[in-house]
Amino acid sequence: MNIGSLWQGLVGDRDGPGDRIVPPTGITAQLTLFSAGAMAFLAVFALALALATGRLADRWSAELAGSVTIRVSAPAADQEARIQQTLSILQATPATGTPRLLPQEELAQLLEPWFGPDMPVDALPVPALIDLPVDGDFDADGLRLRLEAEVPDAVLDDHTEWRRPLVSAAERLRLLGVVSLLLIGAASAAMITLAAKAALAANGQVIRVLRLIGARDLTIATAFVRRFTRRAAIGSAAGTLAGMACVALLPQTSAAGGFLTGLGFQGWGWLLPLTIPVVASVVGFVATRWAALKMLEAVR
């Protein structure tokens, strides 16, 4: 290796011979590119999970808080009269919308996951269900007490027991997504640091020669920082694009159903994964700079 040309490239040419003290190929280059790409790929899904569970928590909370259900269960002879009496009370209740008695077809759909599509709902002692839209000023306790006094066969369900665990589970999943992003960033920094230290150790003799001709540690470290930051950016960009493509191939809301409905990015949310290569480049820069300066300080 020509030390003179190496020194000129090191201090002057951004992508020139100065970067040759960092192996352009080999295990360190492959490790940096692969780890950055893999971490970026996982980061896309962690970000999608965090955003999707946030939307899920908001939707579940809004849907369950926007209505209550009244269950009317009385002897067959009195059922219709109890239903009409309950509807009259609900129509006069403040901060509520128009109550709606669920038809047998909707009751059959609610019971289908448990009893199958062929179960004759009419033959079962299924209580009548009334859906009542409510707003923020709705007094659930007041309505519950009135129903207990006037229609003992009617029971109010404000979905509190359902809403709290569902929203709590969605919020915990969102927190898990954020923690996953932090762990992915930490793992990326660790792997890039190890790769940079390996490259520095492999070029210890060249570093000593550069010092003899007047190179400063900061100048030498710049070559490593430049090369490894570029590798982290390229690898993470490829991983991010691959992750976004996979997220785009996930089933749509109408096809997915259940818990996975809406898992992915929506609207401007598709721009958020594009920040991953930028963050990866910053992580690579900081990790490589720290590793290079520490390693050069130890190798004297």
Side-chain angles (χ1 to χ4, degrees):
M1 179 180 294
N2 188 313
I3 298 298
S5 61
L6 178 61
W7 169 250
Q8 289 296 326
L10 183 63
V11 298
D13 189 2
R14 182 176 181 273
D15 294 319
D19 287 340
R20 293 175 187 169
I21 62 173
V22 186
T25 58
I27 189 63
T28 57
Q30 296 172 7
L31 176 62
T32 305
L33 288 171
F34 174 78
S35 61
M39 292 297 110
F41 184 86
L42 296 176
V44 171
F45 283 92
L47 182 60
L49 174 65
L51 294 176
T53 50
R55 292 193 300 268
L56 195 63
D58 294 339
R59 186 173 75 247
W60 282 346
S61 181
E63 289 179 354
L64 293 177
S67 66
V68 297
T69 302
I70 296 85
R71 184 177 70 254
V72 182
S73 180
D78 301 329
Q79 179 78 335
E80 186 61 29
R82 296 289 185 269
I83 292 175
Q84 295 303 321
Q85 188 178 2
T86 302
L87 289 173
S88 299
I89 294 174
L90 298 179
Q91 290 171 352
T93 302
T96 62
T98 302
R100 185 176 71 91
L101 178 65
L102 270 64
Q104 291 294 322
E105 293 77 10
E106 291 192 29
L107 292 177
Q109 292 177 358
L110 293 174
L111 296 175
E112 183 175 334
W114 286 272
F115 297 102
D118 299 327
M119 174 61 66
V121 178
D122 296 338
L124 296 175
V126 178
L129 296 180
I130 301 175
D131 181 68
L132 179 66
V134 299
D135 59 30
D137 298 328
F138 171 68
D139 183 9
D141 293 333
L143 179 58
R144 184 178 289 108
L145 291 174
R146 184 178 178 185
L147 289 174
E148 290 177 357
E150 300 183 25
V151 191
D153 297 320
V155 178
L156 173 66
D157 181 10
D158 60 358
H159 310 302
T160 300
E161 295 183 359
W162 287 90
R163 182 169 64 247
R164 287 177 180 172
L166 288 175
V167 174
S168 177
E171 290 177 348
R172 290 181 181 180
L173 282 173
R174 175 166 51 185
L175 178 61
L176 178 62
V178 174
V179 172
S180 299
L181 285 171
L182 295 177
L183 291 176
I184 288 171
S188 299
M191 285 185 284
I192 293 174
T193 299
L194 291 175
K197 285 188 173 183
L200 283 161
N203 289 273
Q205 184 176 359
V206 175
I207 291 172
R208 292 186 182 92
V209 174
L210 289 172
R211 281 175 171 162
L212 290 176
I213 61 175
R216 297 180 302 167
D217 286 353
L218 183 60
T219 306
I220 299 172
T222 299
F224 286 89
V225 172
R226 187 165 54 220
R227 176 64 63 83
F228 278 88
T229 300
R230 187 162 58 247
R231 291 173 182 172
I234 294 173
S236 60
T240 298
L241 293 177
M244 293 176 67
C246 291
V247 170
L249 294 176
L250 290 175
Q252 299 297 321
T253 301
S254 59
F259 176 77
L260 291 179
T261 297
L263 180 60
F265 304 104
Q266 296 181 1
W268 290 99
W270 282 101
L271 297 178
L272 290 178
L274 299 179
T275 63
I276 293 176
V278 178
V279 175
S281 300
V282 174
V283 170
F285 174 84
V286 174
T288 307
R289 182 182 175 85
W290 177 85
L293 294 177
K294 286 292 184 181
M295 194 76 174
L296 289 170
E297 184 180 348
V299 182
R300 287 190 180 277

